Amino acid sequence: MSHSQPEMFHPQAQGALADKELRLNFRGAMDYLRHKRKDAFPDADEEKAVRDLAESIRQRCLKKLPELLEQLEANCIRNGIQVHWAENAEQANHIFAEIAQEQCAQLLVKGKSMVSEEIGLNHDMEKRGIRCLESDMGEYIVQLDGDTPSHIIMPAIHKNKQQVSDTFEHNIDGFAPTTDVDSLIQTGREMLRNAFEDAEIGVSGVNFAVAETGTLCLVENEGNGRMCTTIPDVHIAITGIEKVVECLSDIPPLYSALTRSATGQAITTYFNMISGPRKHHEHDGPKQVHLVLLDNGRSQAYQDEELRKTLQCIRCGACMNHCPVYTRIGGHAYGTVYPGPIGKIISPHLIGIKETQSLITASSLCGACEEVCPVRIPIPALLQRLRQESKNKAQANHAPLKGQDAGKNAIEKAAIKGFAFAATHPSVYHGALDTARHMNGLIPHHIGNWTQCRVKPTLAKTSLKTLLAQKAKAKDEGDTQ
């Protein structure tokens, strides 16, 4: 059961590293997903073309975001979809509560939605006496454990077959322990089947919201998303404001980039397009459709042209699967809804820089995440920018992050200023070196011992000056011949 917090990243990471079973689970899962992605892009030129197009679409749509959001709202309302705006998690949960109260709802059945995790929807509904049941198999498993997702695409990726069987045994009456995957999936299906019919409200996320037509697009493999959005009388979709795209023609390139990067599939099993509630002549579908558009710090990122690139993300998870940090410690160690590289750059905008100081430095800046990102988000550069934000006050042209300059350290700042002064004044620099050499004997014994373990480098018998002279002579002789 995970109750981690971003402020406790370092001890949580140590605990994850010490968990051999967790590391083994992630090793197998990450290797599998990396190979699947590699196989999905066999041609390097075609991969480049897909990523270039996806990046250009996301950047174009983000550049027009304010007007596209207004267009989306107008077209959704025209289609019969009720649109709600939420500035933060509290407002979003209040909207859900109001709709649930109007419907006298006791049960919400929910498809996979990271934004609903972001606002803590399940816990908020529970406080109000309303049950919110996850129907995505991975989400259902972690919900039974009282746990949280460890990956944005595969929530229960940190568990193996035996651990899933143990979860079912502890939470489902009459379950016969098994590690057969088909039997485990069938058990989950049987437990969820009646919930779709009993729930008054179905909840889903949104992968793409099309401004041109007022259409909500939902990508999935299990069919539970289609059940959530068609069987209950009321459907509530929630999404971050950055998910809007301009035209229907923008969807196929982004869809291809998403599925191939996430699971190595050319296309997912289901692609749902929702354009409104059931019409009077139709026999199925919800009677009401609501769309909740959530800000929750996204506008803050949007105001800065560099940090805006964070919002290009299409939530494929490829950056996590290739990150040397995430693949060793998993998602729970981060203590945030969005873990891994994308979590490091988006969480400071959602919850503040003070709480995420440790996350933005938990990177070697190797660039593996950027190399596989289907929309080319420059994650290493953004991490460096956020490190600067954590140490300094906001620039005049940029809205401050919550907890701006929380990582400021007076001693560190003084030391850097001192070094900068010495480095630009040779007499001071060399004087400091002489002083340091004379003080070498004052280093405490337990600190100085580390040098005794180092292997002394073997000095070349021939000096560098002699080697250079020999090389020049050989070159001259070659030219003469």
Side-chain angles (χ1 to χ4, degrees):
M1 186 179 296
S2 173
H3 296 291
S4 55
Q5 299 175 327
E7 300 94 327
M8 299 296 292
F9 172 76
H10 291 292
Q12 287 160 187
Q14 289 294 330
L17 289 171
D19 189 333
K20 293 182 179 180
E21 187 172 35
L22 178 71
R23 295 196 66 185
L24 184 63
N25 292 348
F26 268 95
R27 179 77 280 154
M30 297 297 101
D31 287 347
Y32 172 77
L33 289 171
R34 283 201 295 267
H35 289 146
K36 290 284 285 183
R37 183 196 175 279
K38 184 178 179 181
D39 292 342
F41 289 106
D43 186 298
D45 291 336
E46 194 247 355
E47 178 188 2
K48 179 180 182 301
V50 169
R51 296 176 68 203
D52 287 346
L53 181 55
E55 178 192 22
S56 67
I57 291 172
R58 290 301 294 135
Q59 289 187 348
R60 166 170 50 81
C61 294
L62 283 173
K63 188 175 182 179
K64 301 178 178 180
L65 184 59
E67 58 197 74
L68 290 182
L69 285 169
E70 292 182 357
Q71 184 183 6
L72 174 68
E73 179 185 34
N75 286 326
C76 282
I77 292 173
R78 186 197 63 193
N79 294 342
I81 297 175
Q82 300 177 52
V83 180
H84 311 265
W85 298 83
E87 186 176 348
N88 50 43
E90 183 181 0
Q91 289 184 13
N93 283 319
H94 181 69
I95 292 167
F96 272 90
E98 283 191 330
I99 298 171
Q101 189 175 19
E102 290 173 2
Q103 301 299 317
C104 299
Q106 295 299 309
L107 173 63
L108 278 64
V109 65
K110 181 169 159 288
K112 190 173 183 307
S113 166
M114 291 306 296
V115 179
S116 70
E117 295 283 347
E118 183 183 325
I119 67 172
L121 178 65
N122 294 8
H123 298 293
D124 189 85
M125 291 296 103
E126 184 180 352
K127 291 176 183 177
R128 302 173 192 268
I130 302 170
R131 185 184 179 204
C132 196
L133 179 65
E134 298 285 354
S135 66
D136 174 88
M137 191 57 63
E139 293 275 5
Y140 177 65
I141 291 167
V142 297
Q143 186 180 39
L144 287 178
D145 270 340
D147 210 343
T148 56
S150 59
H151 193 283
I152 63 174
I153 298 298
M154 284 159 280
I157 200 170
H158 56 289
K159 290 182 176 294
N160 56 37
K161 293 180 290 186
Q162 183 60 57
Q163 290 171 319
V164 173
S165 178
D166 293 343
T167 294
F168 283 179
E169 185 179 6
H170 294 152
N171 293 279
I172 300 176
D173 292 337
F175 172 75
T178 178
T179 55
D180 178 71
V181 174
D182 290 338
S183 297
L184 291 170
I185 296 298
Q186 187 59 37
T187 297
R189 284 176 176 168
E190 291 172 357
M191 297 303 297
L192 291 167
R193 182 63 56 180
N194 291 335
F196 295 114
E197 294 183 356
D198 296 340
E200 295 88 357
I201 296 175
V203 180
S204 78
V206 178
N207 290 97
F208 311 108
V210 186
E212 177 186 42
T213 59
T215 303
L216 311 179
C217 300
L218 183 62
V219 179
E220 55 151 338
N221 275 312
E222 298 179 17
N224 65 302
R226 183 161 294 184
M227 303 281 274
C228 288
T229 59
T230 58
I231 296 179
D233 282 342
V234 177
H235 168 214
I236 308 175
I238 180 169
T239 184
I241 57 174
E242 80 279 15
K243 291 293 189 70
V244 64
V245 296
E246 186 173 8
C247 312
L248 272 176
S249 59
D250 292 328
I251 298 297
L254 293 176
Y255 185 31
S256 175
L258 169 61
T259 57
R260 294 163 77 179
S261 299
T263 55
Q265 295 173 275
I267 190 172
T268 50
T269 309
Y270 299 93
F271 184 80
N272 306 295
M273 301 178 71
I274 301 161
S275 296
R278 179 199 309 183
K279 295 179 175 58
H280 69 276
H281 62 277
E282 295 177 333
H283 300 292
D284 58 12
K287 296 177 181 177
Q288 294 181 26
V289 177
H290 298 260
L291 173 62
V292 180
L293 293 166
L294 178 69
D295 186 332
N296 204 31
R298 290 163 172 81
S299 292
Q300 190 276 337
Y302 183 82
Q303 293 180 49
D304 183 278
E305 190 171 343
E306 182 181 18
L307 296 177
R308 183 185 301 173
K309 294 175 183 177
T310 303
L311 303 180
Q312 291 174 202
C313 179
I314 56 176
R315 304 292 191 271
C316 70
C319 61
M320 301 178 188
N321 305 338
H322 292 75
C323 174
V325 177
Y326 176 89
T327 56
R328 284 161 178 77
I329 65 175
H332 288 150
Y334 292 84
T336 51
V337 172
Y338 304 100
I342 185 60
K344 294 173 192 175
I345 62 172
I346 197 171
S347 297
H349 302 288
L350 304 182
I351 62 177
I353 199 77
K354 181 178 182 180
E355 290 79 1
T356 56
Q357 290 178 76
S358 297
L359 302 186
I360 58 178
T361 58
S363 171
S364 63
L365 302 179
C366 66
C369 50
E370 185 177 1
E371 289 177 7
V372 297
C373 177
V375 290
R376 299 190 185 280
I377 301 174
I379 296 177
L382 292 176
L383 284 173
Q384 293 183 72
R385 168 66 187 278
L386 288 169
R387 291 177 186 182
Q388 294 175 12
E389 298 290 325
S390 74
K391 302 287 185 181
N392 302 286
K393 293 187 180 297
Q395 299 174 11
N397 62 342
H398 176 54
L401 281 158
K402 179 183 175 183
Q404 182 86 39
D405 81 351
K408 182 172 60 177
N409 185 304
I411 296 176
E412 181 183 273
K413 192 171 184 179
I416 291 174
K417 281 187 174 181
F419 176 79
F421 179 82
T424 53
H425 294 77
S427 59
V428 175
Y429 183 78
H430 291 296
L433 287 179
D434 290 337
T435 302
R437 278 194 290 268
H438 286 99
M439 294 179 65
N440 187 50
L442 301 178
I443 297 176
H445 181 68
H446 68 280
I447 295 177
N449 277 345
W450 76 275
T451 60
Q452 298 176 11
C453 301
R454 299 176 67 194
V455 178
K456 184 177 180 180
T458 303
L459 297 178
K461 294 181 180 179
T462 307
S463 69
L464 178 62
K465 183 177 180 180
T466 303
L467 286 172
L468 291 173
Q470 291 173 351
K471 187 175 181 180
K473 181 179 179 181
K475 184 177 184 301
D476 291 341
E477 291 175 350
D479 292 341
T480 303
Q481 293 175 356

